[in-house]
Amino acid sequence: SLRAGGILFLGNAETIGAVSGLFSALEGKARLFRRLDTGHAVAVDFPSALLPGRPRAADSGGVEQPLTQSAASLQVLADSVILKRFGPPTVLTNDKGDVLYVSGRTGKYLEPAAGKANWNIYAMAREDLRYELGAAFRRVVREGKPEMLRSVRVATDTGVSRVDVSIEPILQPAALRGMIMTSFLQVPQRASRPARRRPGAGNDQASSAAAAEEELQRARVDIQTMREEMQASQEELTSANEELQSANEELQSTNEELTTSKEEMQSLNEEMQTLNQELQAKVEDLSRANNDMRNLLDSTDIATLFLDSRLRVRRFTSRMAKLVKLIPGDIGRPITDLASDLLYPEFESDVAEVLKTRSFRERTVATSDERWFTVRVMPYHTLDNRVDGVVITFVDVTVAKRLEAALRATRAGPGEEP
């Protein structure tokens, strides 16, 4: 708690007392306080027994030697004596009126209030001084300008006296900036001349009337001061109300914009849901069509190869892998880069011719393991009647070729070549 921003933890029966200006209470019921960075020094009164005594010289035989005071110490002591004897009673407070330092005898003007200890200048001011001092103190705090109260009547235990009250904000030094210094200057009483008695006129009545007139004037001044303060507070409240209304209007406008955005997002979400349903239906249709096509191609037991215009593999059936060494990872590769059992040197020229003329070509091709296939190269038409590659089918005619060769051999007879 000695550091700026530090935390002070107290028990249930403890309070921060007169140093309330140095700490601010944290939220919650726990007695936790945060140290304020006020930059003010804290005066601590230590018992006199703890103060260091004068040093004794080792070579003086136990006799005390006077302590040599420095020039700075003498100046501080001299200033303290002068202020105590000739300086006016002064109190140093913060902007809330909490008393931080007292110089001189202020008992004529300030006294502790009955009940719980409250070291605040508003509560400690005597009754005749309380209203004018409080109003002037608030004006000084609000305007930041010094003010002087002239010849204020104060009733004390010894009688009635007059006092000039000086209230001044402290700007220098920086350590005391923001504090308020209140000084009480005793007004010397004038020697009263013996009044000649006149028949039918009483001095007591005249003095009572003058006192009543003075009290009335003071009450009028207090009422005017309170009226001005209430008017200033009303203006501040009006300004704060206008700011709150403006903030409320902005919040309402923001709320309307958010509501509109929410409705737009809901509409967009509904559109996205509808589009998602349509896309799901299309995906299901495409999946169904793909399954139908795959089953159709597998049921025909015909090796089929789909190529694009650059002879890159687009799709193939399972039987095609027995002619060309194809795997699913070969999709997108040129067919000419793959190993094949086909003895088909005219393959590229036939495909180019089909792409150019848009008419199919058909020929019988043998393989390296003496199998025969009828190869049919057809253009691949899109829905907009555009040629986007070729479709090649391979029909196994090995049995027919062998029967044809046997038939020719039988017709040729023995000793003749078929």
Side-chain angles (χ1 to χ4, degrees):
S1 61
L2 299 180
R3 298 184 301 174
I7 302 299
L8 175 64
F9 175 68
L10 299 179
N12 294 331
E14 297 174 327
T15 62
I16 55 178
V19 293
S20 59
L22 299 179
F23 296 90
S24 63
L26 298 178
E27 297 180 359
K29 297 183 179 180
R31 305 188 64 79
L32 294 174
F33 302 86
R34 184 181 298 279
R35 173 68 184 272
L36 300 177
D37 190 11
T38 58
H40 305 324
V42 181
V44 181
D45 295 331
F46 293 99
S48 58
L50 300 179
L51 298 178
R54 294 184 178 181
R56 297 175 177 270
D59 55 350
S60 59
V63 180
E64 293 185 2
Q65 299 294 330
L67 180 64
T68 304
Q69 302 288 345
S70 64
S73 300
L74 291 175
Q75 181 179 358
V76 172
L77 295 175
D79 291 342
S80 176
V81 172
I82 294 172
L83 288 176
K84 287 182 180 179
R85 181 167 299 183
F86 301 103
T90 304
V91 293
L92 190 66
T93 63
N94 56 14
D95 55 354
K96 298 179 181 179
D98 298 327
V99 178
L100 303 178
Y101 182 78
V102 179
S103 175
R105 297 179 178 272
T106 60
K108 292 182 180 180
Y109 320 108
L110 304 177
E111 63 177 354
K116 186 179 179 179
N118 187 2
W119 295 95
N120 190 279
I121 196 170
Y122 294 106
M124 296 179 64
R126 289 186 176 268
E127 184 176 359
D128 296 338
L129 188 62
R130 183 172 303 163
Y131 300 103
E132 295 188 18
L133 177 61
F137 192 93
R138 285 190 290 270
R139 287 195 299 271
V140 170
V141 172
R142 184 174 61 252
E143 300 175 1
K145 299 179 181 180
E147 188 164 338
M148 174 71 75
L149 301 177
R150 296 289 183 180
S151 188
V152 181
R153 180 180 179 274
V154 181
T156 62
D157 298 337
T158 58
V160 179
S161 61
R162 299 282 178 171
V163 63
D164 293 339
V165 183
S166 173
I167 306 174
E168 181 180 358
I170 298 179
L171 302 178
Q172 294 294 336
L176 300 180
R177 185 175 301 167
M179 295 187 180
I180 307 297
M181 183 176 64
T182 305
S183 301
F184 303 92
L185 306 176
Q186 184 71 35
V187 177
Q189 297 181 355
R190 298 179 181 179
S192 60
R193 297 180 180 179
R196 292 179 297 176
R197 294 181 179 179
R198 289 182 298 175
N203 292 332
D204 293 340
Q205 295 180 356
S207 60
S208 298
E213 182 68 22
E214 185 178 356
E215 290 292 336
L216 180 59
Q217 185 65 26
R218 185 180 298 109
R220 289 176 180 174
V221 173
D222 293 341
I223 292 174
Q224 182 65 25
T225 302
M226 293 176 63
R227 184 178 300 171
E228 293 177 355
E229 292 179 355
M230 290 180 62
Q231 187 175 2
S233 300
Q234 186 176 2
E235 292 177 356
E236 293 177 357
L237 290 175
T238 303
S239 176
N241 188 23
E242 292 176 355
E243 293 178 358
L244 290 176
Q245 287 180 352
S246 177
N248 189 21
E249 292 176 357
E250 293 179 357
L251 290 176
Q252 288 180 351
S253 176
T254 305
N255 189 20
E256 293 175 357
E257 294 177 358
L258 290 175
T259 303
T260 305
S261 300
K262 181 181 178 181
E263 294 176 354
E264 294 177 354
M265 292 295 293
Q266 288 179 349
S267 176
L268 182 60
N269 189 21
E270 293 175 357
E271 294 178 359
M272 292 294 292
Q273 288 179 353
T274 304
L275 181 60
N276 188 23
Q277 293 176 358
E278 295 177 356
L279 291 176
Q280 287 181 353
K282 290 183 178 180
V283 168
E284 291 177 358
D285 293 341
L286 290 175
S287 179
R288 190 178 300 110
N290 190 16
N291 293 332
D292 293 343
M293 185 181 66
R294 179 176 297 177
N295 286 295
L296 176 61
L297 293 176
D298 292 340
S299 63
T300 57
D301 200 18
I302 299 175
T304 306
L305 178 64
F306 295 84
L307 301 178
D308 60 10
S309 58
R310 296 184 180 180
L311 303 183
R312 291 178 299 189
V313 178
R314 180 179 292 169
R315 186 188 295 270
F316 60 91
T317 61
S318 58
R319 290 189 60 83
M320 191 65 206
K322 297 179 180 180
L323 298 177
V324 182
K325 307 302 182 181
L326 287 172
I327 59 174
D330 293 330
I331 295 177
R333 295 181 58 186
I335 191 64
T336 55
D337 293 345
L338 302 175
S340 174
D341 294 335
L342 295 171
L343 302 177
Y344 191 5
E346 300 87 359
F347 177 77
E348 294 185 28
S349 60
D350 288 349
V351 172
E353 185 67 21
V354 170
L355 291 174
K356 182 177 180 181
T357 61
R358 297 189 177 185
S359 60
F360 72 93
R361 294 184 65 85
E362 183 176 324
R363 69 171 66 228
T364 302
V365 178
T367 62
S368 58
D369 55 355
E370 297 181 354
R371 289 182 297 164
W372 292 85
F373 291 88
T374 299
V375 182
R376 187 180 180 89
V377 183
M378 297 171 292
Y380 181 91
H381 292 278
T382 60
L383 294 177
D384 54 355
N385 199 21
R386 182 172 56 89
V387 176
D388 188 20
V390 294
V391 180
I392 307 173
T393 59
F394 298 84
V395 180
D396 191 352
V397 293
T398 304
V399 176
K401 278 289 185 181
R402 289 177 180 175
L403 291 175
E404 182 181 358
L407 183 59
R408 287 180 180 178
T410 302
R411 289 180 180 180
E416 296 183 3
E417 293 183 1

